[in-house]
Amino acid sequence: GAVRKSGFDKKWEKLGEVLNDPEMFSENKRDKLVIFTEHRDTLNYLVEKVRGRLGRAEAVVIIHGSLNRQERRAAEARFINEPDALVLIATDAAGEGVNLQRAHLMVNYDLPWNPNRIEQRFGRIHRFGQREVCHLWNIVAYQTREGAVYRRLFEKLEEARSALGGRVFDVLGRVFTEVALRDLMVEAIRYNTTDEARAYLLEKIESRWDREMLARIVEERALDSTRMNAARLSSLRDTMARAEARRLVPHFIESFFVDAFTSLGGTLARREPGRYQVNHVPADIRRREAFVGRGVPVLRTYERICFDKADVYVDGKPMAAFVAPGHPLLDATIDRLLERHRDVLRRGAILVDDSDEGSEPRVLFSVESDITDDVLLKDGRPRTISRRVDYVEVDQDDVAMTAGSAPYLDYRPLRDDERAATGAFLTADWLRREMEDVAARHGIATVVAGHLAETRSDRLAHIAKTRSEVHARLTSEIQYWDHRAFELRQQEDAGRKPRINSANARRRCDDLEERLKKRVAELDRESRITAQPPIVRGGALILPARFLAPALPAESAEAATRETKRIELIAMAHVMAAERASGRVPLDVGEHNRGWDIESREPGGQLRFIEVKGRKIGSDTVCVTKNELLTCLNKREQYHLAVVVVDGDAVVDSWTVADPLHGDWAFALTSMNLDLARLRAGATLGDHL
């Protein structure tokens, strides 16, 4: 009591030195700091002190065990993205599963007796992708009994740092498996009254510090517990390469978001190239989070956002939030925009396919499929854990086929001079049929099943790992407090008065058991994964260009289409054979509408994405669609355009060109005609097939 009344706190004084460092919290440099403490009372004490020192309540963000998961996510998001949030003060509720990489400075105001928690805490900032050197201050009163143990422990850690490659905290849990650090602390407090007792405790630390054992533990920890085999790793690499090839170019997402966000009342300002500061997010966009169901809040402001991963880090500038599909700010903006203009989607549109040499129109539908679990949102709906939009085309005979990930990019709007050709056709009987049901049934059979299997596999694996970690950690704590309650009760029965009474220890044990029960129930709900019926969100009538301005009679048009397909088959066979002759392993994927025709595996395992264009002798140009251009822009080093010139049934010339675009192009462009002579001149001798 006297110490508290004195107002003198040496630990706070040392923390104040960190906060007063002009290199950290000056007007021109605003680094972010994470402070960990063991107890809620200490957290409340520090919140008051730090806010008083910095002079602004909004500068301090808190995370503790009484906050639910959504409140913790909100605090995490504020600390990462809001420029005024400088200090996070947290208990070990922020020690696992929270990414605090926006900061690179950390203070352990209290040190935990479980050494694994030191690792968990530091791992919040010292993680893959961190661009700054991470600094950790451990505030320890080394004149105290427990402080002496910690001091010797950290001295040994420093000695071993070079041998462990800097990963000193990764091994603490294994080092003290048999000699618990908690027990060492208890012994230090109870019995550290003689030189012999102190020497005994330090010897226990020394005995656990075998250099060879530490190196072995580091090596074991370096291996992923799932131990992916070569086939699994190769499959994962291929999946990532395909996803990268099919993604929207960041320029398009940026262009869409800036226009959509400002049209909804948001304000943002361009800062560094490719990066923006969001000064105001309208309330109706922020409220979207409850309906989108991601569980991550949309903030009022963002210090920086970007649309390309290469722009996340800029030396000397704040880390930017990477805005891409799945980010709550983009998802909420899209949801609000759809709410305002959904009737336009329902009315549909008329688009023209210039690459279709046929004469048969079809209808394109966007089919949205949601995968949910048993976690309920505030409005009682199940939480959506994955949402996918696929496209299905239905022809006049009600035959449905999957149309790829973004077929609309290859189509253009109907021009005014073409509208007259559509007048009578728009009243055709087949357009009045319930084709939406045909598209939905096709979505159930081909889209939803795969979406569910993929989501369930990934999600259940993650839940199983989380369940194992939660059970191991909480069971260990429960066993400790159960044993501690038993010991304390024995001491009380013997007439002694321990510092902690047995009832409090038993209550702690019961609370942990209830916490484990609730967490397991949460994981059970998360593991009950189901697919919702697909919803047709919008449609468009797709007209081949020949339908609008038929240059040939129907019979001649059909003959031209057959001829085009014949040349394409000759070209595909030629390129497949050439790839095999070059020692690669090609696979025809043209029917999957991926934006390329062939995936060809190099001897080293990397994929080449090849778009094949067969042209009749005498042709001057080749047309490349927008989806094909997207692939080229995304995977320049892996994208190859193969051109095959055919005369009758014979191939008379062929070559490939890597990265044929060599530059950017406009968003409104639906296709591009490339000059064959210039393409051939740009191909190297080794590229000729």
Side-chain angles (χ1 to χ4, degrees), residues 93-210:
E96 290 186 77
V98 179
N99 183 356
L100 303 176
Q101 196 176 16
R102 174 65 177 82
H104 65 278
L105 308 173
M106 179 178 290
V107 171
N108 276 323
Y109 193 81
D110 298 318
L111 281 171
W113 286 5
N114 183 344
N116 284 333
R117 290 185 183 170
I118 301 178
E119 171 194 343
Q120 291 162 3
R121 290 177 177 181
F122 197 51
R124 299 310 95 212
I125 65 169
H126 189 258
R127 56 197 297 132
F128 182 77
Q130 174 63 262
R131 297 282 292 267
E132 302 288 342
V133 177
C134 293
H135 296 276
L136 172 64
W137 289 270
N138 293 303
I139 301 180
V140 179
Y142 66 88
Q143 299 93 340
T144 64
R145 298 172 183 177
E146 60 179 317
V149 174
Y150 273 124
R151 181 181 184 185
R152 185 56 180 159
L153 173 63
F154 287 118
E155 286 174 354
K156 297 300 295 183
L157 286 171
E158 193 62 35
E159 292 174 9
R161 184 179 296 274
S162 59
L164 298 176
R167 291 169 292 186
V168 292
F169 296 109
D170 294 352
V171 300
L172 282 179
R174 289 284 301 277
V175 168
F176 291 99
T177 298
E178 296 179 9
V179 181
L181 187 59
R182 185 201 309 269
D183 294 337
L184 283 180
M185 293 303 169
V186 172
E187 289 188 50
I189 294 170
R190 287 181 180 174
Y191 311 121
N192 190 12
T193 56
T194 65
D195 291 340
E196 292 80 4
R198 285 190 288 270
Y200 167 72
L201 292 173
L202 297 180
E203 177 58 31
K204 277 196 172 184
I205 295 177
E206 295 280 351
S207 66
R208 302 304 302 162
W209 219 260
D210 179 80

Side-chain angles (χ1 to χ4, degrees), residues 258-368:
V258 171
D259 287 347
F261 185 68
T262 53
S263 74
L264 295 172
T267 59
L268 73 170
R270 185 182 291 275
R271 295 306 183 205
E272 303 80 28
R275 291 157 55 98
Y276 297 81
Q277 180 172 346
V278 179
N279 299 311
H280 170 66
V281 179
D284 56 350
I285 293 181
R286 296 199 305 271
R287 286 194 295 268
R288 290 294 93 196
E289 182 274 322
F291 299 99
V292 174
R294 303 296 186 195
V296 179
V298 178
L299 305 177
R300 294 176 180 273
T301 63
Y302 290 82
E303 190 169 15
R304 290 293 189 276
I305 65 169
C306 68
F307 303 90
D308 193 322
K309 286 184 179 179
D311 297 324
V312 171
Y313 299 100
V314 172
D315 291 341
K317 300 297 181 181
M319 185 179 79
F322 176 48
V323 176
H327 189 281
L329 179 60
L330 177 60
D331 288 354
T333 299
I334 292 173
D335 196 69
R336 180 68 183 95
L337 200 68
L338 286 174
E339 183 182 62
R340 180 178 290 187
H341 301 293
R342 193 175 298 279
D343 61 315
V344 177
L345 283 178
R346 299 300 303 175
R347 288 201 303 267
I350 301 177
L351 302 175
V352 179
D353 183 0
D354 286 322
S355 66
D356 187 351
E357 297 183 359
S359 59
E360 297 297 327
R362 70 265 189 197
V363 178
L364 173 73
F365 292 102
S366 62
V367 180
E368 181 181 283

Side-chain angles (χ1 to χ4, degrees), residues 649-668:
D649 293 331
V651 174
V652 296
D653 199 3
S654 59
W655 65 92
T656 63
V657 182
D659 186 18
L661 298 184
H662 304 293
D664 210 338
W665 42 280
F667 178 67

Side-chain angles (χ1 to χ4, degrees), residues 619-624 641 643 655 657 660 672-682:
S619 300
D620 296 323
T621 62
V622 61
C623 181
V624 182
L641 179 64
V643 179
W655 65 92
V657 182
M672 180 183 292
N673 285 322
L674 305 180
D675 186 270
L676 285 179
R678 295 182 65 181
L679 281 176
R680 194 182 192 287

Side-chain angles (χ1 to χ4, degrees), residues 396-436:
Q396 299 181 52
D397 298 322
D398 283 349
V399 176
M401 63 177 294
T402 303
S405 58
Y408 54 87
L409 292 177
D410 292 336
Y411 310 145
R412 63 171 174 82
L414 188 72
R415 295 195 302 264
D416 290 340
D417 63 315
E418 296 170 324
R419 292 186 182 278
T422 66
F425 175 75
L426 294 179
T427 61
D429 290 340
W430 73 278
L431 288 176
R432 300 174 183 275
R433 296 200 297 265
E434 295 296 330
M435 287 184 290
E436 290 187 9

